[in-house]
Amino acid sequence: MTVFDAAIIGGGLAGCSAALHLSLRGASVVLLERGLCGAQASGVNYGGVRQQGRHPAELPLSRRSREIWGRMPALIGTDCEFAMTGHLKLALTDRQMTELVTYRDTAEAFGLALELISRDALQRRYPYLGGGLAGGSLCAEDGQANPRLVAPAFARAARRAGADIRENAEVSGAWPDGDGFGLRVGGAAEPVRALRLINVAGAWGAKVASWFGDAVDEGVIAPNMCVTEPLPVFMGPNLGVCGGGIYLRQVPHGSVIFGAGLGVADRDRSRARPLGEVTCEAARLAIDMVPRLAQALLVRTWTGIEGCMPDGLPVMGPSPSTPGLFHAFGFSGHGFQLGPGVGAVLAELALDGTTPTPIDGLSISRFHPARSDQGRSPMARSGPDGGMQDRQDNQGN
Amino acid sequence: MTSGEIVIVGAGPAGMRAAITLARAGRRPIVLDEAPSSGGQVYRRPPPAIRRDAGALYGFEGRRATELHRAFDVLKGDIDYRPGTLVWNATDTRLHLLAEGRSRTQSWGRIILAPGAMDRIVPLPGWTLPGVYTLGGAQVALKAQAVGIGARVVFFGTGPLLYLVACQYAKAGIDVRAVLDTAPGLASLEALPGLIRGGRTFLKGLHYVSWLRMRGVRIASGVRPVEIGAGADGAVSGFRFERPGGREAFVECDAIGFGFGLKSETQLADLLGLDFAFDHRQRQWLPVQDADGRGSVPGVYLAGDGARVRGADVAELAGERAALAVLADEGEGAHRSRMAALGARIARAEPFRRALDEIAFPFPVELAREVPGDVMVCRCEGIDAKTIRNVAAASGTVDINRLKAFTRLGMGRCQGRVCAPAATEILAAAAGVPVEAVGRLRGQAPIKPMPLSALAEASS
Ligand SMILES: Cc1cc2nc3c(=O)[nH]c(=O)nc-3n(C[C@H](O)[C@H](O)[C@H](O)COP(=O)(O)OP(=O)(O)OC[C@H]3O[C@@H](n4cnc5c(N)ncnc54)[C@H](O)[C@@H]3O)c2cc1C
Ligand SMILES: Cc1cc2nc3c(=O)[nH]c(=O)nc-3n(C[C@H](O)[C@H](O)[C@H](O)COP(=O)(O)OP(=O)(O)OC[C@H]3O[C@@H](n4cnc5c(N)ncnc54)[C@H](O)[C@@H]3O)c2cc1C
């Protein structure tokens, strides 16, 4: 009977990238996806490829991932419309501007260059912005991509590299079995067997983790997304604000996509929908930020189902309970940019048992201080108010 | 037992009759309609500036239209009728409306969806040229603005509207150059038994055809459209088609009206989470309803062409039935026999409808499946037929929503309401599966494009 080197539960961007990176290293891989690859969060997100504003615990991973975004044509045969348009984070108050200055120094330590822009320079360089801004911070190497294309493109590349990608294949249970794992897939009598198991089941990640006793509280969010009819191209960088209230970008064919607030998600039925009231509020915020949008037509709203951890940071790393099991889920609204890097790091963890990319602050053990000597990473935040603010800031953009 | 406001969406024959029924039973329904006046597609009243008498305006429908309008108007005080109000979003407890340039909300306890239908089209070379309209669009121009789409007009496609609109144009003194039907022919013997059961409606149809013939209007059946020609000015110059047997012909004209029957407007049903099933006769996914017009979500009722295209008379019957179902569900049982009678009358109309849909005016599936490669299918996003076929082949896509994700088809202003009938057939043909296997494009709010300023005002 076939025993794969690794089995992957979940065909989002994280899983498809893991399948590719494992296959490129010569490992035999099976990926099991309940629906179609990239049809959940990875395929319906806002499309922001942003490093700026990320928590330090996540920055090394984000840097690693950004490097992969830059070489996707060579890696998977397409750029998935990735464009380095930059990400401009705006401060509404002087206090927020001070925070941007502090963050610039933090980011620098991770090799991420940010350019601070004064109030006056903002209006000169980005005349389409509304008034009342205190300044901004530009990350030139951030950008955007078409989320609908990315995970499927990684899946195709993985398949070409030899991975066994199975769609419409739901894993209903998994367990340690000998020196590996058994997985029950759909109605099949025979379990799928593999030596390593990778849990990248997105908003359903905690459920998979619970099969192995790795209990963790994963909530669910549904960022409320809006898109206008195509407009003449005028916007440069993706826009975000301190506190995360609203984010906007213009896609190459002219539509402006923006998001603010949350819709509702029903994780059990895999259904999510945006909310009319939230859409109205998002429209107001978008017009405040870019006044010329007042006359634009909204053509569509949507949302998706995203796992969210209590501290707004993903879970990533080896299982504390089960050797050979690795988790990466609960990306809390900002795992699209991370996806390619998550796959690369998971491949290293599964094959080498270690990775050069520091991810300690993301360990699932941070939620089980009693059971782990790692405890809470000093980088994971604790204060309720700063935490809340940053977490919103992280969502969906 | 009452449970909140009774809201009716649509003031066509279905919605108006539902409102009248409820008002007569002592309820005060809220009627929301996007149009500035009641009547829906068929009995739409023109703006006051171009008032014409009912006979001239509605033809055969004159008496019925007058009756319905009068009954509705008499009850004005008992019906909270709100014209010019678009329902752009719906949830399990409330609606989002756009009226007077502002968004607002309306709660509902029971809701009757009667949003009607729209033209169904199949793209062909030249269909995006200036001067090309849908049959319904051509009719609206005449009814609401009292102007034709051109001076020398060709109508083609299939369905009852083809002949009706051609007659209306000829009567208005416009030169109708030809009426070209893709269906094999109205007199098709197979269809006859069913058609004759259509009684009044069937006779009306025959009358239109013979009236057009008498006026010397060229009528042909079994044609296959080839292309809409463009003149030096870039506008419509004529229409090229194949007769049965393959001989090509060309008619000069300056405008074209075309369409292939109607498709139900189902976005609100979708947003409300109703179950859908594929309807083979209409070749469309339609909300599932019980014998009295109840949708699968409690409190939601369906009536008229929005539930299933069955024409104005059935729309009225179904509107009354849905209203009675509302009353029955609120504990008023006295209407059972009336409901049964309505059900029987609706059932009696079925054989006629089947004959229309399946034999007299079938949707030209082959034409849709074989749309030439460089013809634009999704006009909003600029996606042509070969892109659909190429993406389907390269990605192994069988699902219309997957196709949407990869190509942007159906993501624009109309959210695929125009392109879905052809796009699903093209995809099904490319993937070698039955059309129902490719699924359906989901409706998302707002169901029509909305200015951000209108939304923003709601929230400030
Ligand atoms: C509306 C929205 C906007 C966002 N915007 C951004 C943004 O701009 N930038 C950014 O960086 N991030 C953004 N995010 C977050 C980002 O999309 C996600 O963090 C990321 O896609 C998560 O990838 P994933 O592979 O972990 O999860 P998913 O893409 O959800 O994939 C998980 C997969 O696992 C499958 N699965 C689950 N259980 C099983 C099982 N038992 N058996 C088989 N398969 C299973 C699911 O079907 C799913 O396909 C946004 C998210 C949403 C919803
Ligand atoms: C363009 C067109 C022309 C037609 N012409 C004829 C004809 O001449 N003769 C004939 O016998 N049949 C005609 N038909 C068929 C005819 O529509 C029906 O048989 C009949 O009108 C159906 O009645 P109804 O009440 O179901 O829907 P309709 O009469 O279509 O009424 C539906 C009403 O709902 C409103 N509405 C829809 N969605 C919303 C929303 N989201 N918010 C607010 N309001 C909404 C519309 O504005 C409309 O007024 C036509 C159909 C179309 C599409």
Side-chain angles (χ1 to χ4, degrees), chain B residues 353-388:
Chain B
R353 264 293 139 184
R354 176 169 313 137
L356 283 188
D357 290 345
E358 290 179 351
I359 308 172
F361 303 118
F363 179 68
V365 175
E366 290 312 313
L367 196 66
R369 298 193 149 209
E370 290 159 17
V371 170
D374 49 8
V375 171
M376 208 61 93
V377 176
C378 167
R379 188 156 57 165
C380 304
E381 295 290 343
I383 313 299
D384 60 18
K386 68 175 174 304
T387 303
I388 298 177

Side-chain angles (χ1 to χ4, degrees), chain A residues 343-359:
Chain A
V345 169
L346 285 170
E348 290 161 354
L349 288 176
L351 298 179
D352 312 330
T354 171
T355 170
T357 303
I359 52 164

